[in-house]
Amino acid sequence: AGRAGGCGRATPGGQAGAARAARAQMPPQAAAAAATTETETAASPPAKGRVLVLGASGGVGKQTVELLQEAGFLVRAAVKDPAKRTATQCDDVVVLDVTQYETLPAAFDGVDAVVIACATTDFSNPFSPALVEYNGTKNVVAAARNTSAPRLVLVTSLGTEAPLLNPLNLAFGILSFKRLAEEEVQRSGLGYTIIRPGGLSNEAVPGKVQLKRRGEAATGRVWRRDVARACVAAIEAPDLADNKIVEMIAVEGAPDRELADMFGDI
């Protein structure tokens, strides 16, 4: 349910009559401008809802903010570094740290869904994966359960199905902590979609995007923008994407299919 409007709402007929009466008291030029504004406002579709994007200045998060706005959602972009507020191209920006629970609840006010696209970037600290991937996600889940957000979309990684067998896990157990984060979301009692992308690329990857069941994609690459598209699709089609874990790669020669349809097949 969108929250684009105010707390109360007048009937369309009453609003139109009041607007006509107000315009009758205006100079002709001002009345014409007001009529144009009212027509544009009436033609604007209502927002689909408000989505909080965590990690909004990152590769996937920034693209997700953009695509959600294009799809008609209200977006609240969350960044850790205040200097990156303007990088999100979003008017509603909050500064928070997922590792510090007390910074989270206010950002969840009035939110219908949350995209968790924040990830470890500081590998000089061996505790970063535990703090960001696992404890950070635990804090997000707690904040979502204590507020109004009914749905979570979590972006993790290929390799979390069997992290101990993956060489990427040598980076301070990052895949193990991503898997623990997934389990926190699964146990949250909230609707969720977990997206496990392959190696992330800033450029389009040859082939068509494919969503696979957990454990089916051993390796592969995918464009960050396509991961963002999957986040938006999961929010737009919860009946098809709810309570699912998908793995995401680009496959050459694969058919071009709608993401919502692929969510429905899993």
Side-chain angles (χ1 to χ4, degrees):
R3 290 179 169 80
C7 296
R9 181 167 59 189
T11 63
Q15 288 178 320
R20 285 193 296 270
R23 289 199 304 273
Q25 306 302 316
M26 298 179 183
Q29 187 173 358
T36 299
T37 300
E38 289 161 16
T39 300
E40 291 174 349
T41 301
S44 300
K48 294 180 179 179
R50 179 175 280 108
V51 182
L52 172 64
V53 179
L54 302 168
S57 62
V60 171
K62 187 175 180 180
Q63 301 267 10
T64 302
V65 168
E66 179 183 333
L67 293 177
L68 282 167
Q69 290 175 322
E70 290 178 3
F73 289 91
L74 299 174
V75 181
R76 179 170 296 152
V79 299
K80 181 180 179 181
D81 183 355
K84 294 183 178 180
R85 294 175 65 102
T86 58
T88 64
Q89 302 297 310
C90 187
D91 293 331
D92 186 358
V93 182
V94 293
V95 177
L96 54 79
D97 183 347
V98 295
T99 69
Q100 305 295 322
Y101 176 82
E102 64 273 14
T103 69
L104 299 180
F108 284 69
D109 183 45
V111 165
D112 301 289
V114 181
V115 176
I116 309 170
C118 42
T120 302
T121 56
D122 179 16
F123 287 96
S124 65
N125 180 357
F127 298 105
S128 284
L131 290 171
V132 177
E133 311 289 345
Y134 178 43
N135 287 333
T137 302
K138 284 181 65 177
N139 287 337
V140 171
V141 167
R145 292 179 66 182
N146 289 332
T147 54
S148 63
R151 296 208 70 246
L152 301 174
V153 177
L154 172 66
V155 180
T156 59
S157 173
L158 280 188
T160 55
E161 189 67 21
L164 298 180
L165 303 178
N166 194 305
L168 290 177
N169 208 42
L170 295 174
F172 309 120
I174 188 168
L175 293 179
S176 295
F177 288 115
K178 285 181 182 290
R179 179 65 190 127
L180 290 173
E182 291 180 348
E183 291 173 353
E184 287 293 327
V185 168
Q186 287 179 284
R187 290 193 294 260
S188 68
L190 302 170
Y192 69 85
T193 304
I194 296 171
I195 300 170
R196 297 172 172 175
L200 295 170
S201 171
N202 289 327
E203 305 295 334
V205 175
K208 300 299 182 183
V209 168
Q210 297 293 292
L211 298 185
K212 297 181 177 292
R213 290 180 173 82
R214 55 186 299 181
E216 287 188 352
T219 186
R221 300 177 69 236
V222 67
W223 189 17
R224 282 184 168 88
R225 191 168 183 84
D226 283 333
V227 180
R229 287 177 52 230
C231 292
V232 176
I235 293 171
E236 289 193 303
D239 54 326
L240 299 176
D242 219 18
N243 300 335
K244 292 182 179 180
I245 297 178
V246 300
E247 299 183 340
M248 185 175 184
I249 57 174
V251 179
E252 293 192 68
D256 188 7
R257 301 183 60 204
E258 294 291 333
L259 285 162
D261 292 338
M262 288 190 280
F263 272 121
D265 289 344
I266 293 175

